[in-house]
């Protein structure tokens, strides 16, 4: 076997390359800008029609996260691994599917208790459900946007950038900080509950596996089940 002496670049660990506050600031700036200008553009283009609006907003949620991630990624030379975009063992795929189901169940139980205590039934994602219930094609598109694109965008941004950058201060700061900010990004409404549950589970999985992919799977399972159950109960 031919070997060679490691160069300084090669011995620099992924931990030392992980993103920091500059990447957090860039990702936050891009995300907030999209959050401000995106919905009005969607409203104008769709004329606030529930189905078109629901599909567009679902796509926007994923696009915002991906733009934030790639903004941070482009700031400085970084490997994919530095942002925790790295392979996982097959066993973790199955574990993540189970955690996705757990997230869905816990979310529904907590939401039921919350509604029972407060009487609030305001659904901030009503257009999402309208889009999913508008026929087979709309359902397929909605699942692609909300159960594939959104998990990719949000996990890459909130776990790949934010939680990874905060991990330099310890696991608790990484999990709690990313979970709170992820939930806050969903607003003070019923969407806060699944955001807290999914955010906490995915933050812990990131610490445990050093990869964003378990979180993407959990997020996708939770969103898929939520969408399909919503269609069945509509």
């Amino acid at each position: 076997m031919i070997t060679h002496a490691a160069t300084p670049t090669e011995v620099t660990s992924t931990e030392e390359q992980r993103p920091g506050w500059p990447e957090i600031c860039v990702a936050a700036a891009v995300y907030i800008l999209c959050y401000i200008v995106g919905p009005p553009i969607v409203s104008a283009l769709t004329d606030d029609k529930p189905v078109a609006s629901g599909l567009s907003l679902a796509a926007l949620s994923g696009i915002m996260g991906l733009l934030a991630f790639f903004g941070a990624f482009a700031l400085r030379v970084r490997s994919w691994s530095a942002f925790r975009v790295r392979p996982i063992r097959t066993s973790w795929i199955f574990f993540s599917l189970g955690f996705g189901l757990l997230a869905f169940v816990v979310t529904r139980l907590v939401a039921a208790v919350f509604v029972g205590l407060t009487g609030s039934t305001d659904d901030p994602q009503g257009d999402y459900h309208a889009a999913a219930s508008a026929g087979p094609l709309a359902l397929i598109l909605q699942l692609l946007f909300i159960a594939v694109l959104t998990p990719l965008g949000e996990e890459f941004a909130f776990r790949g950038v934010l939680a990874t950058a905060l991990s330099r201060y310890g696991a608790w700061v990484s999990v709690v900080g990313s979970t709170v900010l992820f939930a806050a990004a969903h607003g003070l409404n019923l969407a806060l509950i699944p955001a807290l549950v999914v955010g906490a589970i995915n933050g812990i999985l990131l610490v445990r596996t050093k990869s964003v992919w378990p979180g993407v799977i959990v997020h996708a399972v939770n969103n898929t089940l939520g969408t399909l159950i919503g269609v069945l109960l509509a």
Side-chain angles (χ1 to χ4, degrees), residues 111-124 188-190 193:
V113 172
F114 178 82
V115 171
L117 292 174
T118 65
S120 173
T121 57
D122 181 40
D123 186 358
L188 297 176
N189 48 58
L190 281 176
I193 296 173

Side-chain angles (χ1 to χ4, degrees), residues 8-140:
T9 299
E10 290 173 329
V11 300
T12 301
S13 69
T14 299
E15 293 302 312
E16 293 170 336
Q17 294 178 352
R18 62 186 162 189
W21 283 105
E23 284 80 8
I24 289 178
C25 291
V26 169
V30 172
Y31 194 88
I32 292 171
L33 179 62
C34 291
Y35 193 90
I36 293 172
V37 304
I41 292 175
V42 168
S43 178
L45 293 177
T46 64
D47 197 27
D48 290 328
K49 295 179 180 178
V51 175
S53 178
L55 291 172
S56 300
L57 289 173
L60 178 63
S61 65
I63 292 171
M64 288 168 55
L66 288 175
L67 289 176
F69 171 79
F70 282 111
F73 189 91
L75 182 62
R76 294 186 286 187
V77 176
R78 288 286 188 274
S79 67
W80 288 95
S81 293
F83 289 87
R84 304 300 196 229
V85 183
R86 56 175 63 168
I88 55 174
R89 298 195 308 268
T90 303
S91 59
W92 274 111
I93 296 176
F94 293 105
F95 282 132
S96 300
L97 291 171
F99 281 120
L101 178 59
L102 175 64
F104 175 77
V105 172
V106 171
T107 292
R108 267 56 196 177
L109 290 175
V110 175
V113 172
F114 178 82
V115 171
L117 292 174
T118 65
S120 173
T121 57
D122 181 40
D123 186 358
Q125 298 180 334
D127 284 355
Y128 287 4
H129 302 313
S133 302
L137 178 59
L139 175 59
I140 292 172

Side-chain angles (χ1 to χ4, degrees), residues 59-234:
L60 178 63
S61 65
I63 292 171
M64 288 168 55
L66 288 175
L67 289 176
F69 171 79
F70 282 111
F73 189 91
L75 182 62
R76 294 186 286 187
V77 176
R78 288 286 188 274
S79 67
W80 288 95
S81 293
F83 289 87
R84 304 300 196 229
V85 183
R86 56 175 63 168
I88 55 174
R89 298 195 308 268
T90 303
S91 59
W92 274 111
I93 296 176
F94 293 105
F95 282 132
S96 300
L97 291 171
F99 281 120
L101 178 59
L102 175 64
F104 175 77
V105 172
V106 171
T107 292
R108 267 56 196 177
L109 290 175
V110 175
V113 172
F114 178 82
V115 171
L117 292 174
T118 65
S120 173
T121 57
D122 181 40
D123 186 358
Q125 298 180 334
D127 284 355
Y128 287 4
H129 302 313
S133 302
L137 178 59
L139 175 59
I140 292 172
L141 289 174
Q142 186 68 346
L143 286 173
L144 287 174
F145 293 149
I146 205 69
V148 178
L149 185 60
T150 293
L152 283 172
E154 293 187 340
E155 292 306 316
F156 274 43
F158 285 93
R159 250 60 65 180
V161 178
L162 180 60
T164 300
L166 292 178
S167 66
R168 66 185 65 243
Y169 304 110
W172 280 107
V173 174
S174 174
V175 173
V176 174
S178 61
T179 298
V180 170
L181 290 175
F182 179 62
H186 286 73
L188 297 176
N189 48 58
L190 281 176
L192 184 74
I193 296 173
L196 282 171
V197 174
V198 170
I201 291 175
N202 290 353
I204 294 170
L205 286 174
L206 183 75
V207 171
R208 181 66 181 83
T209 67
K210 301 295 190 294
S211 173
V212 299
W213 292 117
V216 171
I217 295 171
V218 170
H219 207 143
V221 171
N222 178 75
N223 286 10
T224 298
L225 291 175
T227 300
L228 294 178
I229 295 299
V231 170
L232 291 175
L233 296 179

